[in-house]
Short mmCIF file of all heavy atoms in Angstrom, two decimals:
data_model
loop_
_atom_site.label_atom_id
_atom_site.label_comp_id
_atom_site.label_asym_id
_atom_site.label_seq_id
_atom_site.Cartn_x
_atom_site.Cartn_y
_atom_site.Cartn_z
N LEU A 45 -6.40 2.10 4.65
CA LEU A 45 -6.81 0.74 4.99
C LEU A 45 -8.31 0.71 5.30
O LEU A 45 -8.83 1.56 6.01
CB LEU A 45 -6.02 0.25 6.21
CG LEU A 45 -6.26 -1.18 6.65
CD1 LEU A 45 -5.81 -2.17 5.58
CD2 LEU A 45 -5.54 -1.44 7.97
N MET A 46 -8.98 -0.33 4.73
CA MET A 46 -10.40 -0.53 5.01
C MET A 46 -10.60 -1.77 5.90
O MET A 46 -11.22 -1.70 6.95
CB MET A 46 -11.18 -0.74 3.71
CG MET A 46 -11.12 0.42 2.75
SD MET A 46 -11.91 0.00 1.18
CE MET A 46 -13.64 -0.01 1.62
N PHE A 47 -10.13 -2.92 5.42
CA PHE A 47 -10.36 -4.20 6.11
C PHE A 47 -9.09 -5.03 6.09
O PHE A 47 -8.29 -4.94 5.18
CB PHE A 47 -11.45 -5.02 5.40
CG PHE A 47 -12.78 -4.34 5.28
CD1 PHE A 47 -13.20 -3.82 4.07
CD2 PHE A 47 -13.64 -4.27 6.37
CE1 PHE A 47 -14.44 -3.21 3.95
CE2 PHE A 47 -14.88 -3.67 6.26
CZ PHE A 47 -15.28 -3.13 5.04
N VAL A 48 -8.96 -5.87 7.14
CA VAL A 48 -7.91 -6.87 7.19
C VAL A 48 -8.54 -8.22 7.52
O VAL A 48 -9.32 -8.33 8.47
CB VAL A 48 -6.84 -6.55 8.26
CG1 VAL A 48 -5.76 -7.64 8.26
CG2 VAL A 48 -6.21 -5.18 8.03
N TYR A 49 -8.17 -9.24 6.74
CA TYR A 49 -8.54 -10.61 7.04
C TYR A 49 -7.28 -11.38 7.41
O TYR A 49 -6.25 -11.27 6.74
CB TYR A 49 -9.20 -11.28 5.82
CG TYR A 49 -10.68 -11.09 5.77
CD1 TYR A 49 -11.23 -9.93 5.25
CD2 TYR A 49 -11.54 -12.07 6.26
CE1 TYR A 49 -12.60 -9.74 5.22
CE2 TYR A 49 -12.92 -11.89 6.23
CZ TYR A 49 -13.44 -10.73 5.71
OH TYR A 49 -14.79 -10.55 5.68
N SER A 50 -7.39 -12.15 8.49
CA SER A 50 -6.30 -13.00 8.92
C SER A 50 -6.85 -14.42 9.08
O SER A 50 -7.82 -14.63 9.82
CB SER A 50 -5.72 -12.50 10.24
OG SER A 50 -4.70 -13.35 10.71
N TYR A 51 -6.26 -15.37 8.39
CA TYR A 51 -6.75 -16.76 8.41
C TYR A 51 -8.25 -16.79 8.13
O TYR A 51 -9.02 -17.47 8.82
CB TYR A 51 -6.41 -17.44 9.74
CG TYR A 51 -4.94 -17.77 9.87
CD1 TYR A 51 -4.03 -16.83 10.36
CD2 TYR A 51 -4.46 -19.01 9.49
CE1 TYR A 51 -2.68 -17.12 10.46
CE2 TYR A 51 -3.11 -19.32 9.58
CZ TYR A 51 -2.23 -18.37 10.07
OH TYR A 51 -0.89 -18.67 10.16
N GLU A 52 -8.65 -16.05 7.11
CA GLU A 52 -10.02 -16.01 6.60
C GLU A 52 -11.04 -15.43 7.57
O GLU A 52 -12.24 -15.53 7.33
CB GLU A 52 -10.47 -17.42 6.14
CG GLU A 52 -9.66 -17.94 4.97
CD GLU A 52 -9.20 -19.38 5.17
OE1 GLU A 52 -10.06 -20.26 5.24
OE2 GLU A 52 -7.98 -19.62 5.27
N LYS A 53 -10.55 -14.81 8.63
CA LYS A 53 -11.47 -14.15 9.56
C LYS A 53 -11.21 -12.65 9.55
O LYS A 53 -10.05 -12.22 9.49
CB LYS A 53 -11.29 -14.70 10.98
CG LYS A 53 -11.73 -16.14 11.14
CD LYS A 53 -11.86 -16.49 12.60
CE LYS A 53 -12.16 -17.97 12.85
NZ LYS A 53 -12.96 -18.63 11.83
N LEU A 54 -12.27 -11.87 9.66
CA LEU A 54 -12.13 -10.43 9.66
C LEU A 54 -11.46 -9.99 10.96
O LEU A 54 -11.97 -10.24 12.05
CB LEU A 54 -13.51 -9.76 9.52
CG LEU A 54 -13.51 -8.24 9.44
CD1 LEU A 54 -12.78 -7.75 8.18
CD2 LEU A 54 -14.94 -7.71 9.45
N SER A 55 -10.30 -9.36 10.84
CA SER A 55 -9.54 -8.91 12.01
C SER A 55 -9.71 -7.42 12.27
O SER A 55 -9.70 -6.98 13.41
CB SER A 55 -8.05 -9.21 11.83
OG SER A 55 -7.79 -10.58 11.91
N ILE A 56 -9.79 -6.66 11.20
CA ILE A 56 -9.89 -5.20 11.35
C ILE A 56 -10.92 -4.66 10.37
O ILE A 56 -10.92 -5.03 9.19
CB ILE A 56 -8.54 -4.51 11.11
CG1 ILE A 56 -7.58 -4.83 12.25
CG2 ILE A 56 -8.70 -3.01 10.97
CD1 ILE A 56 -6.23 -4.18 12.14
N ASN A 57 -11.80 -3.82 10.87
CA ASN A 57 -12.70 -3.02 10.05
C ASN A 57 -12.46 -1.59 10.50
O ASN A 57 -12.77 -1.22 11.63
CB ASN A 57 -14.15 -3.44 10.30
CG ASN A 57 -15.16 -2.57 9.58
OD1 ASN A 57 -14.86 -1.45 9.15
ND2 ASN A 57 -16.37 -3.07 9.44
N GLU A 58 -11.89 -0.77 9.59
CA GLU A 58 -11.54 0.59 9.97
C GLU A 58 -12.76 1.52 9.85
O GLU A 58 -12.74 2.50 9.12
CB GLU A 58 -10.38 1.10 9.10
CG GLU A 58 -9.08 0.37 9.29
CD GLU A 58 -8.33 0.80 10.55
OE1 GLU A 58 -8.93 1.41 11.45
OE2 GLU A 58 -7.13 0.51 10.65
N SER A 59 -13.83 1.15 10.57
CA SER A 59 -15.05 1.97 10.59
C SER A 59 -15.59 2.26 9.20
O SER A 59 -15.99 3.37 8.88
CB SER A 59 -14.80 3.30 11.32
OG SER A 59 -14.34 3.06 12.63
N VAL A 60 -15.59 1.22 8.37
CA VAL A 60 -16.06 1.36 7.00
C VAL A 60 -17.59 1.24 6.97
O VAL A 60 -18.16 0.38 7.65
CB VAL A 60 -15.44 0.27 6.10
CG1 VAL A 60 -15.94 0.38 4.67
CG2 VAL A 60 -13.91 0.36 6.15
N PRO A 61 -18.29 2.09 6.20
CA PRO A 61 -19.76 2.00 6.12
C PRO A 61 -20.21 0.62 5.66
O PRO A 61 -19.53 -0.06 4.89
CB PRO A 61 -20.11 3.07 5.09
CG PRO A 61 -18.97 4.01 5.08
CD PRO A 61 -17.75 3.20 5.41
N SER A 62 -21.40 0.24 6.11
CA SER A 62 -21.90 -1.12 5.85
C SER A 62 -22.26 -1.35 4.39
O SER A 62 -22.49 -2.50 3.99
CB SER A 62 -23.13 -1.40 6.72
OG SER A 62 -24.15 -0.46 6.43
N ARG A 63 -22.27 -0.31 3.57
CA ARG A 63 -22.51 -0.52 2.14
C ARG A 63 -21.32 -1.24 1.47
O ARG A 63 -21.41 -1.68 0.33
CB ARG A 63 -22.82 0.81 1.44
CG ARG A 63 -21.77 1.87 1.57
CD ARG A 63 -22.28 3.16 0.93
NE ARG A 63 -21.29 4.23 0.93
CZ ARG A 63 -21.15 5.11 1.91
NH1 ARG A 63 -21.95 5.06 2.97
NH2 ARG A 63 -20.22 6.06 1.83
N PHE A 64 -20.21 -1.33 2.19
CA PHE A 64 -19.06 -2.15 1.77
C PHE A 64 -19.05 -3.41 2.64
O PHE A 64 -18.96 -3.32 3.87
CB PHE A 64 -17.74 -1.41 1.97
CG PHE A 64 -17.59 -0.18 1.13
CD1 PHE A 64 -18.00 1.05 1.60
CD2 PHE A 64 -17.03 -0.26 -0.14
CE1 PHE A 64 -17.87 2.19 0.82
CE2 PHE A 64 -16.87 0.87 -0.92
CZ PHE A 64 -17.30 2.10 -0.44
N SER A 65 -19.10 -4.58 2.01
CA SER A 65 -19.18 -5.82 2.76
C SER A 65 -18.08 -6.77 2.27
O SER A 65 -18.16 -7.30 1.16
CB SER A 65 -20.55 -6.45 2.55
OG SER A 65 -20.60 -7.71 3.18
N PRO A 66 -17.05 -7.01 3.08
CA PRO A 66 -15.98 -7.90 2.64
C PRO A 66 -16.34 -9.36 2.90
O PRO A 66 -17.17 -9.68 3.74
CB PRO A 66 -14.80 -7.47 3.53
CG PRO A 66 -15.45 -7.03 4.80
CD PRO A 66 -16.78 -6.44 4.42
N GLU A 67 -15.66 -10.22 2.14
CA GLU A 67 -15.86 -11.66 2.32
C GLU A 67 -14.58 -12.38 1.94
O GLU A 67 -13.93 -12.00 0.96
CB GLU A 67 -16.99 -12.14 1.39
CG GLU A 67 -17.27 -13.64 1.48
CD GLU A 67 -18.08 -14.14 0.29
OE1 GLU A 67 -18.13 -13.45 -0.76
OE2 GLU A 67 -18.64 -15.24 0.40
N CYS A 68 -14.21 -13.38 2.71
CA CYS A 68 -13.01 -14.17 2.41
C CYS A 68 -13.41 -15.64 2.33
O CYS A 68 -13.36 -16.35 3.34
CB CYS A 68 -11.95 -13.94 3.48
SG CYS A 68 -10.32 -14.61 3.08
N PRO A 69 -13.82 -16.13 1.16
CA PRO A 69 -14.35 -17.50 1.04
C PRO A 69 -13.29 -18.58 1.28
O PRO A 69 -13.63 -19.67 1.74
CB PRO A 69 -14.84 -17.58 -0.41
CG PRO A 69 -14.79 -16.21 -0.95
CD PRO A 69 -13.87 -15.40 -0.11
N ASN A 70 -12.03 -18.28 0.95
CA ASN A 70 -10.95 -19.22 1.23
C ASN A 70 -9.65 -18.44 1.32
O ASN A 70 -9.63 -17.21 1.14
CB ASN A 70 -10.87 -20.33 0.18
CG ASN A 70 -10.64 -19.79 -1.23
OD1 ASN A 70 -9.67 -19.07 -1.46
ND2 ASN A 70 -11.53 -20.14 -2.15
N SER A 71 -8.56 -19.13 1.57
CA SER A 71 -7.31 -18.43 1.87
C SER A 71 -6.72 -17.70 0.67
O SER A 71 -5.82 -16.88 0.83
CB SER A 71 -6.28 -19.42 2.42
OG SER A 71 -6.02 -20.45 1.47
N SER A 72 -7.23 -17.99 -0.53
CA SER A 72 -6.66 -17.36 -1.73
C SER A 72 -7.52 -16.22 -2.27
O SER A 72 -7.07 -15.48 -3.15
CB SER A 72 -6.50 -18.40 -2.85
OG SER A 72 -5.64 -19.42 -2.45
N LEU A 73 -8.73 -16.12 -1.78
CA LEU A 73 -9.71 -15.25 -2.43
C LEU A 73 -10.28 -14.24 -1.44
O LEU A 73 -10.56 -14.56 -0.28
CB LEU A 73 -10.84 -16.13 -2.97
CG LEU A 73 -11.82 -15.55 -3.96
CD1 LEU A 73 -11.12 -14.94 -5.15
CD2 LEU A 73 -12.77 -16.67 -4.42
N LEU A 74 -10.43 -13.00 -1.92
CA LEU A 74 -11.02 -11.94 -1.11
C LEU A 74 -11.99 -11.16 -1.99
O LEU A 74 -11.63 -10.78 -3.10
CB LEU A 74 -9.93 -11.00 -0.58
CG LEU A 74 -10.34 -9.91 0.40
CD1 LEU A 74 -10.81 -10.50 1.72
CD2 LEU A 74 -9.17 -8.96 0.64
N ASN A 75 -13.20 -10.97 -1.50
CA ASN A 75 -14.20 -10.21 -2.25
C ASN A 75 -14.59 -8.96 -1.48
O ASN A 75 -14.47 -8.89 -0.25
CB ASN A 75 -15.46 -11.06 -2.46
CG ASN A 75 -15.21 -12.31 -3.29
OD1 ASN A 75 -14.44 -12.28 -4.25
ND2 ASN A 75 -15.84 -13.41 -2.92
N LEU A 76 -15.06 -7.97 -2.23
CA LEU A 76 -15.64 -6.78 -1.61
C LEU A 76 -16.98 -6.53 -2.30
O LEU A 76 -17.02 -6.20 -3.48
CB LEU A 76 -14.73 -5.57 -1.76
CG LEU A 76 -15.16 -4.30 -1.03
CD1 LEU A 76 -15.20 -4.53 0.48
CD2 LEU A 76 -14.23 -3.13 -1.36
#
Side-chain angles (χ1 to χ4, degrees):
Chain A
L45 183 65
M46 299 174 73
F47 301 105
V48 180
Y49 271 83
S50 177
Y51 287 86
E52 296 133 65
K53 292 195 186 327
L54 183 64
S55 289
I56 290 181
N57 174 342
E58 295 282 17
S59 303
V60 179
S62 59
R63 57 185 184 270
F64 296 91
S65 175
E67 179 197 19
C68 190
N70 59 56
S71 60
S72 300
L73 194 54
L74 186 67
N75 298 321
L76 186 63

